[in-house]
C-alpha cells in the first residue's frame, strides 16, 4: 500500500467515502481526487452532503456522536483517519474558514498570535513577523497596519473574514477549507475574498462550499455537484458550467431546481 | 424573470422572425419573376418589421445575459439565438434588396434567361431550406438541420453555372445588360441566403449538441 500512496499525484484523495449519521446515509461512495494548488468548488442544494464532505478533511465531523464513515481520506498520500493521526496537527495543516466571520473578541494582533502562542511561540519579533506576513497574505495589511491593537470586532464583516483567513494562514496550513466564506458579505468584500482565494491558490490547496454558482465559476478549477449524498458530477469548472454531462447538474446550475 | 420562460419566449420570437423571413423571401421570388412592383413595395415595407424584431431579440438576449446569468444549454441557446437572429436579418435584407431591383427594373425578364440560369429553382431551393431550418429550430431537430448542407451545395452549383450563362447572354444580347446584371446580383443574394441558412444550422447544432462546426471542412 505505501508504495502506491507515494505514487499518487494528488494532494487530496477521497476514496469510496460513505458517511452515516446513525442509520441515515448522507454520503454515498464518493470519490474525489484533488490536485495540489487548485480550487475545488463543492455545490449542491442544502442537505446534499457537501458540507459534511468538506468537514471530513479536518475531521470536524468527529464531534458528531452518531457520525461514522467508511472509505479513506488521503492527504499527501496518508489516510487522516488512521489511528495514529494527531488531530491537532491535522487541523494546523488543514485550516478552515466559516460562513460567518468568527474573530476572537481580542485585538487584531492577538487574533493572529493566539494560535502561535498556543504552539509555544512567544518571541515578540517572530510573532510580529508572522502576524504581518499572515495579514499581508490575506490582503488586509494596508487597512489595519496602523492600528493592530484595535478590537477585531470593530472591523467590517469583509475585513473580519479576511482576518479569519489570516488567522488560518498564520499556522501555515497546506489545505484550506472554506464553507461559504463570502455568503454574508457585500459584493465588494466578496470580490476581495475571491481575489484572495485566487492568490492563495499559488501556495495552498483550497476546497470551497458555495451556493453562489457564479462564484464557483469565477474562482474554481474544478467543481463537484452533490445531490442527496451522491457526487453526481465532478469535472473542470468550465465543463460543468458550459456543458455538464448530467441532466441533474444542468438543472441545478441553471436554477431549475434547488 | 424566470430563465425557462425567457428562453421559451426567445425561442418563439426567433420562430416569428424565421416565419417573417420565409414570407419575405417567397414574396421576393414572386415579385421578381412576375416583375410585380406592388408586391415589391410590400416587401420593402415589411423590412422595417424584420429590423424591429431583430432589435427586440437582441435586447431580450442582452437582458437574459445580464439578469439571469444563463449557463450550460441555456447559455448556448442564447448565444445561438443572437447569431441566428442576425443571420435571419441578413436574409431579410436580401429579400429587400431583390425587391429594390424589381422596383428599379421596368422591363420584363427574358423567359429564356430565367430558364437557363435556373434562378427559379434557386429561389425554390432557398425557400425550402428556410422551411427546413424553421422546423429544425422549432423541434431542435439537428437531423433536419443537416439536410440544408446538401441543398446549399446545389445552390452553389447553380450560382457557378449562372455566371457563365449570363456572360454569354450579355454577349449575345447587349441591350439587356441591365436586367442581366440585376439577375446576376439576385443570384448572388440567393447564394448568400444559403450560406446564412447554413450558419443557422451550425448554431442550432452547437446549441443542441454543444459541437462547433464552423470553420471545419465538411466531409464529402
Amino acid at each position: 500500500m505505501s508504495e502506491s500512496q507515494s505514487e499518487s499525484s494528488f494532494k487530496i484523495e477521497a476514496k469510496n467515502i460513505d458517511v452515516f449519521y446513525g442509520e441515515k446515509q448522507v454520503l454515498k461512495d464518493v470519490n474525489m481526487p484533488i490536485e495540489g494548488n487548485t480550487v475545488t468548488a463543492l455545490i449542491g442544494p442544502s442537505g446534499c452532503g457537501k458540507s459534511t464532505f468538506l468537514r471530513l478533511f479536518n475531521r470536524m465531523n468527529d464531534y458528531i456522536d452518531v457520525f461514522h464513515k467508511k472509505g479513506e481520506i488521503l492527504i499527501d498520500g496518508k489516510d487522516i483517519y488512521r489511528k495514529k493521526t494527531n488531530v491537532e496537527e491535522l487541523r494546523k495543516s488543514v485550516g478552515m474558514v466559516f460562513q460567518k466571520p468568527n474573530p476572537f473578541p481580542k485585538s487584531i494582533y492577538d487574533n493572529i498570535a493566539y494560535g502561535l502562542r498556543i504552539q509555544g511561540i512567544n518571541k515578540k519579533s517572530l510573532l510580529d513577523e508572522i502576524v504581518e506576513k499572515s495579514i499581508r497574505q490575506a490582503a488586509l495589511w494596508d487597512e489595519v497596519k496602523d492600528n493592530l491593537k484595535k478590537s477585531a470586532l470593530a472591523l467590517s464583516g469583509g475585513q473580519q473574514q479576511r482576518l479569519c483567513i489570516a488567522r488560518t494562514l498564520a499556522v501555515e496550513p497546506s489545505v484550506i477549507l472554506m464553507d461559504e466564506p463570502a455568503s454574508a458579505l457585500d459584493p465588494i468584500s466578496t470580490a476581495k475574498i475571491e481575489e484572495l482565494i485566487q492568490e492563495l491558490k499559488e501556495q495552498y490547496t483550497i476546497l470551497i462550499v458555495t451556493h453562489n454558482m457564479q462564484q464557483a465559476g469565477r474562482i474554481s478549477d474544478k467543481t463537484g455537484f452533490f445531490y442527496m449524498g451522491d457526487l453526481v458530477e465532478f469535472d473542470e469548472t468550465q465543463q460543468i458550467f458550459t456543458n455538464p454531462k448530467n441532466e441533474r447538474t444542468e438543472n441545478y446550475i441553471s436554477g431549475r431546481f434547488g | 424573470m424566470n430563465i425557462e420562460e425567457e428562453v421559451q419566449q426567445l425561442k418563439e420570437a426567433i420562430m416569428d422572425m424565421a416565419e417573417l423571413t420565409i414570407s419575405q423571401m417567397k414574396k421576393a421570388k414572386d415579385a421578381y419573376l412576375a416583375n410585380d412592383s406592388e408586391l415589391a413595395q410590400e416587401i420593402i415595407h415589411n423590412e422595417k418589421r424584420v429590423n424591429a424584431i431583430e432589435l427586440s431579440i437582441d435586447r431580450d438576449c442582452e437582458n437574459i445575459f445580464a439578469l439571469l446569468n444563463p449557463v450550460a444549454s441555456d447559455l448556448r441557446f442564447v448565444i445561438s439565438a443572437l447569431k441566428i437572429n442576425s443571420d435571419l436579418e441578413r436574409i431579410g435584407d436580401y429579400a429587400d434588396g431583390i425587391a429594390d431591383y424589381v422596383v428599379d427594373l421596368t422591363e420584363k425578364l427574358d423567359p429564356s434567361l430565367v430558364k437557363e440560369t435556373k434562378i427559379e429553382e434557386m429561389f425554390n431551393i432557398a425557400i425550402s431550406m428556410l422551411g427546413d431550418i424553421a422546423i429544425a429550430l422549432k423541434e431542435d431537430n439537428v437531423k433536419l438541420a443537416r439536410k440544408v448542407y446538401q441543398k446549399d451545395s446545389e445552390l452553389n452549383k447553380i450560382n457557378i453555372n449562372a455566371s457563365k450563362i449570363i456572360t454569354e447572354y450579355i454577349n449575345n444580347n447587349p441591350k439587356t445588360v441591365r436586367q442581366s446584371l440585376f439577375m446576376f446580383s439576385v443570384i448572388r443574394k440567393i447564394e448568400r441566403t444559403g450560406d446564412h441558412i447554413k450558419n443557422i444550422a451550425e448554431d442550432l447544432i452547437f446549441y443542441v449538441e454543444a459541437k462547433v462546426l464552423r470553420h471545419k471542412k465538411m466531409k464529402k
Side-chain angles (χ1 to χ4, degrees):
Chain A
M1 271 308 269
S2 57
E3 280 82 8
S4 71
Q5 282 169 359
S6 59
E7 277 168 22
S8 169
S9 62
F10 299 109
K11 172 75 185 170
I12 301 172
E13 249 186 304
K15 284 184 164 177
N16 308 107
I17 289 291
D18 291 313
V19 169
F20 302 84
Y21 290 143
E23 296 290 299
K24 190 177 166 14
Q25 186 166 7
V26 294
L27 284 174
K28 299 167 194 163
D29 195 27
V30 174
N31 287 282
M32 188 185 282
I34 296 167
E35 283 170 37
N37 303 102
T38 57
V39 178
T40 302
L42 309 175
I43 61 169
S46 298
C48 68
K50 60 190 186 303
S51 288
T52 297
F53 184 69
L54 186 77
R55 283 151 199 258
L56 284 171
F57 297 96
N58 64 350
R59 295 190 51 170
M60 282 271 287
N61 295 321
D62 293 12
Y63 294 116
I64 300 165
D65 288 338
V66 291
F67 162 82
H68 66 281
K69 72 136 197 42
K70 290 180 193 158
E72 290 180 314
I73 298 284
L74 307 180
I75 295 183
D76 295 321
K78 291 187 187 112
D79 185 358
I80 60 167
Y81 282 86
R82 72 198 189 286
K83 283 226 168 60
K84 59 181 175 185
T85 301
N86 179 335
V87 177
E88 305 307 316
E89 286 296 317
L90 171 72
R91 290 194 185 137
K92 268 199 280 173
S93 67
V94 183
M96 186 151 188
V97 177
F98 296 86
Q99 180 175 9
K100 259 187 86 183
N102 53 354
F104 304 129
K106 291 171 178 288
S107 72
I108 293 168
Y109 186 98
D110 286 341
N111 259 275
I112 311 292
Y114 184 82
L116 301 165
R117 290 196 182 111
I118 285 180
Q119 286 181 42
I121 302 172
N122 285 308
K123 199 175 154 198
K124 177 131 190 337
S125 61
L126 184 58
L127 282 175
D128 285 353
E129 189 189 312
I130 301 175
V131 167
E132 178 173 342
K133 186 181 154 206
S134 310
I135 298 178
R136 276 188 190 279
Q137 265 192 306
L140 185 63
W141 182 249
D142 288 341
E143 292 160 59
V144 301
K145 64 182 176 195
D146 297 326
N147 200 354
L148 294 173
K149 293 246 154 46
K150 192 163 97 170
S151 166
L153 300 179
L155 297 172
S156 75
Q159 289 171 328
Q160 288 187 11
Q161 192 62 305
R162 277 177 284 147
L163 183 67
C164 292
I165 293 173
R167 189 174 64 187
T168 305
L169 300 178
V171 295
E172 300 191 319
S174 63
V175 176
I176 302 173
L177 310 176
M178 296 184 166
D179 198 348
E180 297 185 58
S183 63
L185 305 179
D186 69 72
I188 292 169
S189 303
T190 299
K192 283 187 181 160
I193 298 282
E194 289 180 1
E195 202 179 320
L196 175 60
I197 290 170
Q198 290 294 295
E199 285 167 19
L200 294 176
K201 187 175 96 168
E202 305 292 321
Q203 294 176 59
Y204 307 91
T205 303
I206 298 168
L207 273 80
I208 177 169
V209 164
T210 178
H211 279 132
N212 181 331
M213 297 301 108
Q214 278 71 47
Q215 181 170 71
R218 284 191 295 264
I219 62 172
S220 68
D221 302 292
K222 288 208 169 176
T223 296
F225 168 61
F226 287 82
Y227 184 66
M228 291 172 75
D230 288 308
L231 177 59
V232 174
E233 192 163 347
F234 176 56
D235 208 335
E236 303 286 336
T237 296
Q238 196 198 350
Q239 180 73 26
I240 296 273
F241 285 94
T242 56
N243 192 17
K245 293 188 180 70
N246 192 291
E247 202 184 334
R248 270 185 299 179
T249 313
E250 169 133 7
N251 286 340
Y252 181 71
I253 59 168
S254 60
R256 286 194 166 78
F257 83 88
Chain B
M1 277 173 97
N2 162 310
I3 184 94
E4 217 159 338
E5 282 169 20
E6 293 296 321
V7 162
Q8 188 54 38
Q9 276 175 23
L10 181 58
K11 189 164 181 171
E12 281 161 20
I14 289 282
M15 293 311 305
D16 289 346
M17 180 78 168
E19 293 294 330
L20 184 56
T21 315
I22 294 174
S23 135
Q24 288 286 84
M25 196 45 88
K26 277 182 180 162
K27 283 177 183 160
K29 174 195 157 192
D30 294 343
Y32 181 73
L33 294 175
N35 201 17
D36 181 343
S37 62
E38 209 170 301
L39 188 56
Q41 292 292 1
E42 192 185 319
I43 297 167
I44 293 164
H45 177 77
N46 279 342
E47 166 67 6
K48 289 194 191 97
R49 265 183 68 206
V50 175
N51 291 339
I53 298 180
E54 189 213 6
L55 285 178
S56 138
I57 289 174
D58 270 359
R59 215 170 23 241
D60 290 346
C61 291
E62 192 182 348
N63 284 337
I64 293 174
F65 280 128
L67 304 176
L68 298 172
N69 302 302
V71 292
S73 64
D74 294 333
L75 175 64
R76 296 199 304 274
F77 179 75
V78 183
I79 292 173
S80 298
L82 259 183
K83 293 160 109 180
I84 290 168
N85 187 33
S86 127
D87 280 315
L88 289 171
E89 194 272 338
R90 290 302 296 275
I91 296 170
D93 275 352
Y94 294 139
D96 180 61
I98 294 168
D100 281 340
Y101 288 139
V102 176
V103 173
D104 280 359
L105 194 70
T106 44
E107 68 201 70
K108 277 207 124 199
L109 294 176
D110 179 346
S112 72
L113 183 60
V114 171
K115 198 180 166 200
E116 279 196 50
T117 53
K118 295 189 177 171
I119 190 168
E120 186 171 1
E121 194 183 331
M122 266 193 112
F123 267 120
N124 290 339
I125 294 171
I127 290 163
S128 101
M129 283 169 78
L130 274 171
D132 286 347
I133 208 70
I135 296 168
L137 284 171
K138 194 173 177 186
E139 300 173 348
D140 290 343
N141 186 337
V142 290
K143 204 173 151 195
L144 192 55
R146 287 195 164 91
K147 258 178 78 177
V148 305
Y149 291 109
Q150 211 178 345
K151 290 186 181 175
D152 184 58
S153 58
E154 288 172 44
L155 282 187
N156 292 341
K157 250 184 257 165
I158 301 176
N159 176 49
I160 289 165
N161 290 335
S163 66
K164 277 185 239 151
I165 294 162
I166 291 176
T167 312
E168 212 179 292
Y169 184 83
I170 292 175
N171 279 333
N172 298 333
N173 307 273
K175 281 182 184 165
T176 60
V177 169
R178 196 169 142 86
Q179 85 158 257
S180 305
L181 285 180
F182 277 11
M183 183 175 288
F184 188 65
S185 293
V186 171
I187 286 172
R188 278 288 294 160
K189 285 182 195 300
I190 305 172
E191 190 271 330
R192 293 291 296 142
T193 297
D195 292 342
H196 285 285
I197 297 169
K198 222 167 66 176
N199 287 348
I200 296 172
E202 284 165 1
D203 288 326
L204 176 66
I205 292 165
F206 163 72
Y207 151 60
V208 176
E209 296 181 354
K211 277 185 200 152
V212 180
L213 296 181
R214 205 167 295 237
H215 306 309
K216 269 186 204 160
K217 280 198 171 162
M218 297 299 293
K219 279 180 186 163
K220 280 179 189 171

